Amino acid sequence: VLSNTNSNAGLKESVKKNTVRKESQENTENDKDEPEESIESMLAELNALTGLGSVKQEVNHLVNLMQVSKLRKERNMKQPSVSKHLVFSGNPGTGKTTVARILAKIYRSLGILSTGQLVEVDRGALVGGYIGQTAAKTMDVIDEAVGGILFIDEAYSLTVGKGEGDFGQEAVDTLLKAMEDNRDSLIVIVAGYPDLMDQFLSSNPGLRSRFSRFILFEDYTPDELFEIMLGMCKKQEYILSEEAEKYVRNFLEKRCADKPDNFANARDVRNLLEHAITNQAARVVGAGQYDYDILARLEQCDFERINL
């Protein structure tokens, strides 16, 4: 009975993996059917993001470098030796994944990456619970990412506090070998808190040598967070009343002035808006009035007493 149970579990896992791979292939095929964006339009998408001034500058410099490298290759000239792997350091909610996704599209357009997908994972997707499982899990993720970018969030969790019985280092070793084996078809971006990322890179000499380019994502200012709030509202067809605007501005200023441990930049804004929309729905249904202005407008009371 135990054998049959294990067999069924293995069959389910195999079907699940094949389904994921099939969906990934279908998504890639669908992407190919879409008209190719220009480098200029993708950089415009990057530069239109709120804040992130230094990040935009670094990415623009990097793209310029890759464009020149491509031109030199086309003319049979020697190309500059530049590591494409990156370290994104910064607090949660500072746009790291968004920038990585845009970068993947740009690299695909330049021909640096063949498919340009972004595969986002954390420790749980790489590390197993027993000997031999971690290498297999990590290689499955790498196989999915080849041709695109592998984005490892909170990468420091692979090595911080490691001890006997922890297989995070096995994932790192597998990753390093795969980066060398697929150096022309895989780009790895590791991300996390600045101080912990420095510890992560110092945990293994091979890591430090693979990642030579660092991009720091600074926290958003209160004004930038409010701009992000307005952008989110616009996308979902909501508007803030004058009183709600004042309340939200004050809320964001206080939160930025005394950042709690769970401070998460744009994620805080998204969570705040989601709670407010839920509160507004209860208020609207309770009032029984459903005209456009009432459905669209968020009032101060919708934002009050929200705990993030």
Side-chain angles (χ1 to χ4, degrees):
V1 174
L2 181 60
S3 176
N4 289 338
T5 301
N6 290 339
S7 177
N8 289 338
L11 178 60
K12 289 179 181 178
E13 183 65 24
S14 177
V15 170
K16 180 180 178 183
K17 287 180 180 178
N18 288 335
T19 301
V20 170
R21 289 196 182 99
K22 183 178 179 182
E23 290 176 350
S24 178
Q25 290 170 359
E26 289 175 349
N27 289 337
T28 300
E29 289 171 1
N30 290 336
D31 288 342
K32 289 178 181 177
D33 293 336
E34 296 177 359
E36 190 73 32
E37 291 183 70
S38 67
I39 300 295
E40 290 74 20
S41 67
M42 287 182 276
L43 286 175
E45 180 185 354
L46 170 73
N47 293 323
L49 296 174
T50 299
L52 305 177
S54 61
V55 173
K56 294 172 184 176
Q57 185 179 44
E58 285 284 346
V59 173
N60 276 275
H61 288 337
L62 187 58
V63 172
N64 289 339
L65 183 60
M66 296 307 163
Q67 285 181 299
V68 170
S69 180
K70 180 184 179 183
L71 292 170
R72 290 175 64 91
K73 181 180 181 181
E74 290 170 351
R75 289 157 178 77
N76 295 318
M77 299 171 69
K78 290 183 178 180
Q79 299 172 63
S81 178
V82 179
S83 173
K84 301 180 185 69
H85 307 299
L86 299 165
V87 178
F88 283 5
S89 60
N91 291 324
T94 47
K96 296 186 289 293
T97 306
T98 300
V99 172
R101 189 172 291 114
I102 294 173
L103 196 58
K105 292 194 299 181
I106 292 174
Y107 278 3
R108 174 185 169 183
S109 183
L110 287 172
I112 295 168
L113 294 172
S114 58
T115 48
Q117 74 277 19
L118 180 75
V119 177
E120 184 180 0
V121 298
D122 57 15
R123 176 188 166 93
L126 302 174
V127 179
Y130 53 84
I131 295 174
Q133 185 183 28
T134 293
K137 287 184 70 173
T138 302
M139 282 308 304
D140 281 345
V141 169
I142 289 167
D143 289 343
E144 185 183 352
V146 167
I149 291 179
L150 176 59
F151 183 91
I152 306 176
D153 200 14
E154 298 182 349
Y156 53 80
S157 64
L158 294 172
T159 57
V160 69
K162 62 184 179 182
E164 188 175 350
D166 183 90
F167 301 104
Q169 187 59 50
E170 185 180 355
V172 171
D173 294 340
T174 304
L175 178 65
L176 287 173
K177 183 177 186 304
M179 289 168 69
E180 178 61 26
D181 293 344
N182 302 279
R183 57 184 177 274
D184 296 325
S185 56
L186 175 67
I187 293 175
V188 178
I189 299 177
V190 290
Y193 294 104
D195 53 342
L196 292 174
M197 288 307 297
D198 189 61
Q199 294 177 28
F200 168 69
L201 295 174
S202 299
S203 69
N204 187 310
L207 281 171
R208 181 70 70 176
S209 64
R210 291 291 194 283
F211 297 94
S212 59
R213 188 176 291 271
F214 297 71
I215 298 181
L216 175 63
F217 288 68
E218 296 181 351
D219 287 341
Y220 291 108
T221 66
D223 286 343
E224 290 169 344
L225 290 176
F226 184 72
E227 184 180 337
I228 290 170
M229 168 66 77
L230 293 181
M232 290 180 178
C233 286
K234 183 177 180 180
K235 285 182 179 179
Q236 300 183 61
E237 293 189 64
Y238 285 98
I239 58 172
L240 302 180
S241 69
E242 185 176 342
E243 293 77 13
E245 282 195 11
K246 291 178 181 177
Y247 184 88
V248 171
R249 279 188 179 276
N250 186 56
F251 178 92
L252 295 173
E253 286 172 0
K254 288 182 177 178
R255 194 160 179 84
C256 288
D258 186 19
K259 295 173 183 174
D261 291 339
N262 67 336
F263 180 74
N265 288 283
R267 291 182 196 173
D268 282 356
V269 175
R270 183 174 64 247
N271 290 337
L272 180 65
L273 180 59
E274 288 177 357
H275 283 298
I277 289 173
T278 300
N279 292 340
Q280 187 242 31
R283 176 173 58 78
V284 168
V285 171
Q289 298 179 7
Y290 312 122
D291 64 59
Y292 180 87
D293 288 339
I294 290 175
L295 290 172
R297 189 166 58 250
L298 296 172
E299 302 286 358
Q300 176 177 327
C301 61
D302 300 324
F303 290 94
E304 292 175 340
R305 294 181 292 280
I306 294 176
N307 295 315
L308 297 180

